[in-house]
Structure formats: structure tokens, C-alpha cells
Amino acid sequence: NGSSAPVTMFVSPQPVEATDDAFWDQFWADTATSVQDVFALVPAAEIRAVREESPSNLATLCYKAVEKLVQGAESGCHTEKERQIVLNCCRLLTRILPYIFEDPDWRGFFWSTVPGAGRGGGDEDDENARPLAESLLLAVADLLFCPDFTVQSHRRSTVDTAEDIHSIDSCEYIWEAGVGFAHSPQPNYIHDLNRTELLKLLLTCFSEAMYLPPSSDSSNTNPWVQFFCSTENRHALPLFTSLLNVVCAYDPVGYGIPYNHLLFSDYREPLVEEAAQVLIVTLDYDSSTSASPTVDGTTTGTAMDDVDPPGPDNLFVNYLSRIHREEDFQFILKGVARLLSNPLVQTYLPNSAKKIQFHQELLVLFWKLCDFNKKFLFFVLKSSDVLDILVPILYFLNDARADQSRVGLMHIGVFILLLLSGERNFGVRLNKPYSVRVPMDIPVFTGTHADLLIIVFHKIITSGHQRLDLLQPIFDCLLTIVVNVSPYLKSLSMVAANKLLHLLEAFSTTWFLFSAVQNHHLVFFLLEVFNNIIQYQFDGNSNLVYAVIRKRNVFHQLANLPTDSQSIQKGLQRKKRTPEPISRTNSQDGVSMEGSRPAAPGLVATPGIDKLTEKSQVSEDGTMRSLEPESSQPPAEGNLPSAASDGEPWGGGEASQPRRDRRRLSSASYSGQWTPTPDWVMSWKSKLPLQTIMRLLQVLVPQVEKICIDKGLTDESEILKFLQHGTLVGLLPVPHPILIRKYQANSGTAMWFRTYMWGVIYLRNVDPPIWYDTDVKLFEIQRV
């Protein structure tokens, strides 16, 4: 095997002429290589040595490899030999590109034009003087629709009449039926393998983003993605459609034969994973800085006419935002739900069903769909199919809660639920009874999907990761979701009602309230939940009312919270003596789904809940109007500068501040930075919304006590029966307007998604390990 020879020769300081074809052809002429072979034969140290010592040879190699791809695309790759050369060039570039990106001096190389690179060697301005990156991307796009190489040929005859690759309409060669395409081509595993290799190269081209430090500057667009998704790429539409359809049409369980995945290699799965990754990277677009074309759920007749400010010039984002047919939405939603539910499938035979591993990419894709296409979001919420997305997300949240390396998975799950909870329909859908039993280590209950959501959220908060600081940023979000859905919850189970009161009990202890500047927000959220349910859904919620009556002392203690310095100090001391009510001892580091990873990217911090959401008020007719942000309750912290909340989850606006700087602040060290004062406690204690609950207790407690005395009752079922038939009409304060905190896009979350997405892609591409041990700047790799 001669492949290893040229590598060493090529490190020699002697530049090799570009015209020395005999020398360069050795790199791609070999027939029996795989991408793994190329990674083994071309070690990292060699690539770096060539880069430092013989830069002209590295430049020539890149240029020659791109030239071979361009030639393959021009000729249509009709012979086996040409296809082999294309694949080998593909593998070689996938190997080398990360080493070009990690060196700032080389980063512009692919965007420069190669002198005399024009095929005619003519002057610089001719068509041929494209930057190398553009030639590479266009060649890959052409090759992805190359008959008999990556798509089925439509011709039946010999090579003489082979299809001219420039005259074919690639829209007729879309890879899979689905959105905008009805015909499902015959599966061909060779085509799948070839597509996968080309997509791997494409993903590697796009990965330049990994070598730039995180910045909240959204104008920082990825030039590779920008060009590939522009009108310059004549295959943009068919390729977007092919990627989306391949992902959404995939059924990993196949024909339901147990163990079939052990008998037959599934060539589709690697393609589906690669397609999902390429798709989410091409859709990496900050919607907060631009008007997305369908914000109001309407599409203009010709969205192409107004490409300037309104529609994004990223065609993939543009096409995604313009999907509107019900059957297309159904196809996408069913596909995503089927794949997300796959890891939850219970089988009687161990390991008999194939389990997919790309649920994180699917969650990012689902997020993008809802964020860029409001019609899709409304479609999802229109039917109870949204629950087929909810249940897997709750499963992943519960499964990942004790695993530090999967804190990113928790964030994206919570972000999606926050986005959905901003819509009334989501709350209404949660009332559907929960009957499917998904394997989760949570208390058994009989109830609805709302009960499931509350029980899982309680579990995350009370038995998540030992390090509170890793999960605390999510608490605000979890409780905001519960607040958003609470006005619509018709009947909570006793289990869920007790969980909500347990949270209130834990969050309203004096040491917790006084130990960090924002902890009291959690109490405000929970009180708001109780108020919404009592005011708007009193009739079906006797379980919750009963739980509130049983735990009435918690509300009385809150109303009488001490505000003098001495009591504050005593409250803080109590922390040292009493065990935390939110115990972290029973956290199960059980077998997590993905197993523990050797490395986990450190993510940038997520923006605060106040930046993540904007408040809307629901009026009588169910419509929402945005509220001015001025009188935000939970109340402001007096005149504290936001820097004082350095250790505050969701604090400050520095979205790009790497989380590792904040990890050092354990909940115990809060007190070192900030001290609670009587004025501060008074500033929010006076705003605690306790009136409704106090009135309820005032009316019902004497009645319940009287029943117990009269009938000598100790049995809760009688009391519940009484509460079910009771009414508080006319006795409660005037109902407050319903406040919904809707997710709003901002550059902080856009940056968070970028780092999370690339972190997932980095970890998932281990065979071959495309980016391993290169100098990645977007996130820090932590050995876990």
C-alpha cells in the first residue's frame, strides 16, 4: 500500500510542483481505502509538520484535491476509478481541513484565489478564479446529485448517453419522499455511503466555526454556510429537501423483526445522522437580529421577491420558514416524534430493537423548526401529537439530570418546553391522561401529562446533579413553564400537588431565601402557580386545595418572614446545621443512556429568564398582548447592579462568558459576594402574592376542621369529597390577569445553541475522530 510513502516525502522542505501529477496522484489513486484508513495513514503530527515546514506543499495538496473534486463533478464520475478518486480526495480533505482552521494564518487560505488556477491559466478575472472554498462547496453540491454515484440514474442506456451533470434538474433526484417530493427512490446502500462521505466533508468545511471563540456578535456568520446556502448553490432547494426528508422518513426499527439491526448493517443510519448534523449547522441563524419571514404565520406569495431585509438570505432558513402544507407538517412531526421516542421503546427481548443516538441533533432541529416557522409551531400545538414530543423530552431530562456531561441536553429540552409553554394550547393539551408507561424512575401516579411534567420537574430539582450550580440556572425556567401552563390545568393528581408543595417548602426556608440574591424568585413563581389554579381551575383541583390546607403553615411562615438583621443571620446559620430540604444524596448516577463520555464541551452561559422571556397578558377573549417590561414581578432587587449577581444563574448579560468561570461559585460562596439586608428582604416580602391563598385558608380551614370534629374524620377521601363540592365563588379576590412569559429570541441563546450544537457534533463524530485533539476555541473540552 503506497499511501503512506508520499506523506513523508511531502514533509520535505522541497516544494513539489503542482504540475507533477505522478507525485500528487499517489494521494488519491489507491483503490482500497476507507475514511478510517486515511485518518490512520495521515497522522496529525505529519499534517502539522507539513503546515509549518512545507506550507507550499500543503497548499498544493489542498488545491489539487479540490481540483479533482471539481473534475469529478464536471465529468459526472462515470467510471469506478473516477469515483474512487473523488472519495479519496473527500477523505483527505476531511482529514486536513481542521488543521487548516486551527491555525489563524491559514484560515483565509480557502477564501483566496489560487494564482493561475484558472483552468485556462488565463487572467485572474475569468470565471475560473473562484476562491478555493467556493469551488469545493459547489463541487460537493454537484456530486451529491450525481447519477449512479449518489442518486439513481433515470437513464436506462449505456455510457454514451450518460446524463450531463449540468443539464439535470436535481429537483427530480431528491433522495427521499416527503416534503415537496412524492417519489421514494429505491434504496441503494452504495449511494447512501457515498452521500455520507460527501456530507462528512461538508460538515468539516462548516466546522471552521469551532475554531473561533464564542462571541455574542451575531454578524459573525460562517462564510462556508453562507455561501453554500446562497443562490450560488443551484442545488440548495433539492439538497435541503433531501436532508429533511431523509431524516424525517427514517424508521430505525425497520420491519419490526427483533435483532434485525444485528443481522443487517443499516446503511441509512449513518446517512441520517450526517444529514441531521448538516441540517442543523446550515440552519444556524440568529433569528433575533432579523425579521423571520413568517413571524405572523403568514407567507408572502413570492417570498423570493423580497429577499433583502425580510427573508433571510440563507436559503435553507428561508425554505424551512416557508413550509406550510398540513401534510408536510404532519410528515415532519410524525418523523421527529418517532425518532425521539425510539430510545424509550420497551422491548421484551433485551437489545432487540435498534436504539438511535442522535436525539440531541433532533431536538436542535425541532427547535429550529418551531423558531423559524410559526405555522409549524401552531400545527404542533393543534393536536395532542405535541405530547409525543413532550414525553421523550421529559424522559431525556430525567435521564440526564444526574450526569454533569449532559447538562446541555437538559438545557435544550427545557428551552423547547419553555417555547411551547408560551402558547395556551400547550397547557390545554397537558390535560390528556397519561397512560403509556415509559421506563422512568419516578413515583407511580394516575393522572395526566401535566402530572408527569410536574413530577419530573420536581425530580430534577430535588435529585439532580450534586453540584447545584450546574442545574440551578434551569430552575427558573422549569418553574416558568409550570406557571405558563398552570391556568389551564384542570385536575392535578395528589402526587403532583404534593410535589409542588414540597418545592414551596424547600424554597421558602429562610436559609435558602437569604443565601442568594435571586432565590426568592422561585417562591414567587410557585405562588403564581397556586394562584392561577385556585382562581381559574378551582373546581377540578381538590387535591391541590387539600395539599395547600395541609401545608398551610408554609404560607403562614412566608407571610411572617422575619426581616431584622439578627433573624437574617440566624436563617443563614441554619444552613450549616440542618440538611438541605432539597437533598442531593439520592441522586442516581445510574446507567445513563449515552454512558459517560470521555469529554464534554463546556458551554457558554445561558441568558437570564428575564432576557429569555417577555411577559404577555391573556385577555378575556384569549388573545395575548405584550406587557411593558417595567413593572416586572418577581420584583427587582432594589438598586443592586447586575454584577452583584455574578454567581446568579441566568445573571448578567454576558452570554458568552464561559460557564467555567461561574462554576467555581458554589451556592455556599454566594454570601461572600453579597449580603442580604432588612431593606432587601422587605423590598420583595411586601410583594409576595399571598392574598388569594390566605383568603382560601380563611374560608376553608374552619369548615374542614369542623367536618373532622363533627364526623370524627381522619379519612382524607371524605375531606376531598367535601372540597370537590365546595365553591369559593365570590369569596376570593378579583382574579388577576393571566401572565404568560413567552420565550423571545436573543443573541445570547443563539450563541448558546451554536456552542451546544457544535459540542454535540464534536463528540458524536468519533469514527473517524474528525476534530479530536485539534485546537478548538468555541468551547473548552473537559475530560470528565
Side-chain angles (χ1 to χ4, degrees):
N1 182 340
S3 286
S4 48
V7 176
T8 23
M9 296 169 10
F10 151 80
V11 183
S12 74
Q14 264 9 79
V16 182
E17 286 299 319
T19 48
D20 183 352
D21 288 336
F23 175 80
W24 297 109
D25 286 349
Q26 302 174 83
F27 283 95
W28 28 81
D30 202 351
T31 49
T33 50
S34 68
V35 68
Q36 285 78 7
D37 295 340
V38 171
F39 272 66
L41 289 169
V42 186
E46 298 272 8
I47 304 174
R48 290 192 174 112
V50 177
R51 191 182 68 196
E52 306 312 322
E53 294 155 34
S54 344
S56 72
N57 286 354
L58 182 60
T60 307
L61 181 68
C62 291
Y63 156 62
K64 297 293 281 186
V66 172
E67 186 183 52
K68 286 289 171 199
L69 290 181
V70 171
Q71 285 168 5
E74 293 281 314
S75 72
C77 282
H78 297 304
T79 67
E80 194 45 51
K81 184 172 182 237
E82 284 177 285
R83 289 172 198 157
Q84 202 52 57
I85 288 174
V86 162
L87 289 172
N88 283 340
C89 289
C90 221
R91 293 158 187 160
L92 197 60
L93 285 165
T94 302
R95 180 61 173 145
I96 291 172
L97 275 166
Y99 297 91
I100 299 248
F101 295 152
E102 73 173 359
D103 184 337
D105 295 339
W106 275 83
R107 215 164 279 144
F109 168 70
F110 269 86
W111 294 97
S112 56
T113 48
V114 182
R119 256 156 262 125
D123 63 74
E124 288 293 281
D125 301 323
D126 64 1
E127 214 305 291
N128 299 325
R130 271 191 180 285
L132 206 49
E134 295 186 4
S135 306
L136 170 56
L137 290 171
L138 293 176
V140 170
D142 276 340
L143 288 164
L144 285 166
F145 293 98
C146 184
D148 290 325
F149 180 53
T150 48
V151 292
Q152 216 69 52
S153 171
H154 292 183
R155 294 276 169 91
R156 287 281 163 270
S157 54
T158 58
V159 182
D160 308 335
T161 56
E163 288 142 295
D164 171 18
I165 194 148
H166 292 288
S167 64
I168 69 170
D169 174 5
S170 44
C171 286
E172 293 170 15
Y173 291 86
I174 288 170
W175 301 349
E176 185 56 76
V179 176
F181 195 65
H183 165 67
S184 188
Q186 199 55 39
N188 180 319
Y189 81 96
I190 300 280
H191 294 172
D192 277 1
L193 291 174
N194 294 342
R195 291 163 176 173
T196 305
E197 298 232 33
L198 286 159
L199 291 178
K200 217 180 261 311
L201 171 57
L202 202 49
L203 196 59
T204 310
C205 291
F206 296 158
S207 71
E208 184 178 351
M210 279 198 220
Y211 298 89
L212 303 169
S215 83
S216 46
D217 174 19
S218 48
S219 61
N220 202 344
T221 47
N222 182 329
W224 296 84
V225 172
Q226 194 176 10
F227 179 80
F228 191 77
C229 298
S230 73
T231 47
E232 294 271 356
N233 177 0
R234 69 188 184 98
H235 303 292
L237 179 59
L239 187 60
F240 167 75
T241 313
S242 294
L243 296 172
L244 184 63
N245 291 354
V246 158
V247 172
C248 295
Y250 178 55
D251 183 2
V253 179
Y255 301 103
I257 316 161
Y259 298 106
N260 66 344
H261 67 290
L262 301 179
L263 305 176
F264 313 105
S265 182
D266 178 354
Y267 294 100
R268 206 14 92 102
E269 187 181 26
L271 174 64
V272 174
E273 289 199 1
E274 216 65 54
Q277 291 176 2
V278 168
L279 205 47
I280 60 178
V281 171
T282 50
L283 295 169
D284 177 19
Y285 181 80
D286 183 356
S287 60
S288 66
T289 56
S290 61
S292 132
T294 61
V295 169
D296 55 351
T298 58
T299 33
T300 45
T302 51
M304 285 307 184
D305 303 344
D306 46 28
V307 163
D308 286 271
D313 38 11
N314 174 326
L315 291 181
F316 279 38
V317 175
N318 203 322
Y319 297 143
L320 184 79
S321 66
R322 286 165 48 200
I323 298 171
H324 60 276
R325 288 172 29 205
E326 295 261 318
E327 56 269 41
D328 290 343
F329 287 157
Q330 190 61 32
F331 165 75
I332 294 171
L333 179 58
K334 279 273 184 271
V336 173
R338 176 177 58 243
L339 291 169
L340 284 177
S341 309
N342 162 271
L344 289 60
V345 175
Q346 285 273 57
T347 47
Y348 294 106
L349 304 164
N351 298 325
S352 64
K354 186 178 182 68
K355 294 264 195 275
I356 62 157
Q357 297 295 318
F358 56 98
H359 49 276
Q360 302 195 80
E361 293 93 319
L362 286 164
L363 289 172
V364 177
L365 177 59
F366 182 77
W367 170 268
K368 300 276 179 200
L369 280 156
C370 293
D371 195 22
F372 295 149
N373 190 323
K374 289 297 171 267
K375 279 188 166 173
F376 177 75
L377 176 63
F378 300 141
F379 176 85
V380 169
L381 291 164
K382 205 170 66 175
S383 73
S384 56
D385 288 349
V386 66
L387 302 175
D388 298 334
I389 301 285
L390 168 74
V391 173
I393 288 178
L394 292 175
Y395 171 83
F396 296 133
L397 290 178
N398 183 57
D399 189 56
R401 70 176 191 277
D403 180 351
Q404 181 189 337
S405 66
R406 294 161 75 202
V407 80
L409 170 60
M410 306 216 36
H411 275 91
I412 183 151
V414 170
F415 278 155
I416 290 174
L417 298 183
L418 179 64
L419 180 71
L420 295 173
S421 75
E423 306 297 333
R424 173 182 176 275
N425 262 354
F426 182 64
V428 174
R429 298 283 160 239
L430 290 179
N431 291 306
K432 187 176 175 179
Y434 173 67
S435 48
V436 204
R437 287 283 167 250
V438 164
M440 275 197 252
D441 52 342
I442 52 170
V444 177
F445 69 97
T446 306
T448 65
H449 285 75
D451 295 307
L452 177 68
L453 178 125
I454 288 168
I455 291 166
V456 170
F457 283 10
H458 173 269
K459 185 102 186 182
I460 293 168
I461 292 172
T462 56
S463 64
H465 197 265
Q466 263 76 6
R467 300 201 10 222
L468 238 179
D469 54 321
L470 286 183
L471 276 191
Q472 206 155 352
I474 308 188
F475 293 178
D476 288 28
C477 244
L478 293 174
L479 293 186
T480 300
I481 293 164
V482 179
V483 172
N484 280 349
V485 300
S486 58
Y488 312 110
L489 305 183
K490 297 211 179 318
S491 161
L492 285 185
S493 69
M494 190 59 93
V495 178
N498 286 334
K499 297 296 182 200
L500 285 175
L501 277 135
H502 175 238
L503 288 179
L504 183 70
E505 212 173 352
F507 290 148
S508 58
T509 58
T510 46
W511 79 258
F512 186 78
L513 284 174
F514 297 159
S515 65
V517 72
Q518 76 296 342
N519 282 357
H520 61 275
H521 291 185
L522 300 173
V523 169
F524 275 82
F525 285 139
L526 285 163
L527 291 176
E528 204 174 326
V529 170
F530 297 135
N531 289 339
N532 281 342
I533 294 178
I534 292 165
Q535 289 280 19
Y536 292 98
Q537 298 290 349
F538 179 82
D539 289 352
N541 274 299
S542 51
N543 289 329
L544 183 75
V545 174
Y546 178 62
V548 167
I549 291 174
R550 276 187 45 219
K551 292 281 187 186
R552 54 190 179 278
N553 63 321
V554 179
F555 299 97
H556 290 303
Q557 278 165 7
L558 266 175
N560 300 315
L561 189 72
T563 55
D564 57 290
S565 306
Q566 201 181 352
S567 306
I568 292 174
Q569 282 316 308
K570 220 163 88 183
L572 289 169
Q573 291 308 310
R574 194 169 300 167
K575 153 93 165 127
K576 299 190 175 81
R577 292 200 305 276
T578 57
E580 226 175 299
I582 297 183
S583 103
R584 309 236 150 239
T585 48
N586 57 351
S587 125
Q588 292 183 313
D589 286 294
V591 182
S592 68
M593 225 165 40
E594 298 151 298
S596 284
R597 282 298 165 62
L603 298 166
V604 294
T606 45
I609 193 75
D610 51 330
K611 295 207 171 54
L612 268 181
T613 54
E614 67 178 356
K615 296 195 180 69
S616 303
Q617 196 169 311
V618 182
S619 44
E620 304 281 309
D621 58 358
T623 55
M624 290 194 194
R625 61 185 185 81
S626 287
L627 290 183
E628 290 309 308
E630 49 87 29
S631 65
S632 72
Q633 175 245 356
E637 280 74 43
N639 51 5
L640 263 169
S642 66
S645 51
D646 213 339
E648 168 181 343
W650 310 90
E654 308 119 326
S656 59
Q657 177 192 5
R659 174 162 291 153
R660 59 177 180 274
D661 298 348
R662 296 189 13 225
R663 288 229 176 101
R664 302 191 199 103
L665 307 164
S666 70
S667 42
S669 68
Y670 284 140
S671 46
Q673 308 173 1
W674 160 86
T675 322
T677 61
D679 284 352
W680 171 77
V681 179
M682 275 309 298
S683 73
W684 54 262
K685 179 190 166 181
S686 59
K687 301 197 179 92
L688 284 167
L690 287 164
Q691 305 81 332
T692 301
I693 293 168
M694 288 310 188
R695 185 80 186 111
L696 172 137
L697 292 172
Q698 199 185 346
V699 174
L700 292 179
V701 171
Q703 297 182 3
V704 170
E705 283 174 344
K706 186 172 184 310
I707 296 176
C708 295
I709 294 162
D710 291 355
K711 302 196 176 169
L713 274 186
T714 48
D715 179 21
E716 17 182 274
S717 61
E718 284 294 322
I719 301 168
L720 284 168
K721 204 173 290 175
F722 162 72
L723 291 173
Q724 266 161 11
H725 298 107
T727 173
L728 290 175
V729 173
L731 297 172
L732 291 178
V734 177
H736 53 282
I738 296 175
L739 267 190
I740 301 288
R741 293 171 180 81
K742 287 173 84 90
Y743 168 81
Q744 56 171 359
N746 62 68
S747 53
T749 37
M751 192 61 229
W752 183 87
F753 271 101
R754 182 170 308 149
T755 52
Y756 171 63
M757 169 182 81
W758 280 114
V760 168
I761 291 171
Y762 177 96
L763 287 180
R764 301 262 300 105
N765 284 274
V766 286
D767 183 26
I770 300 180
W771 300 282
Y772 186 70
D773 268 349
T774 57
D775 188 13
V776 169
K777 293 278 197 305
L778 185 61
F779 41 76
E780 189 179 72
I781 304 300
Q782 294 148 347
R783 304 281 165 225
V784 176

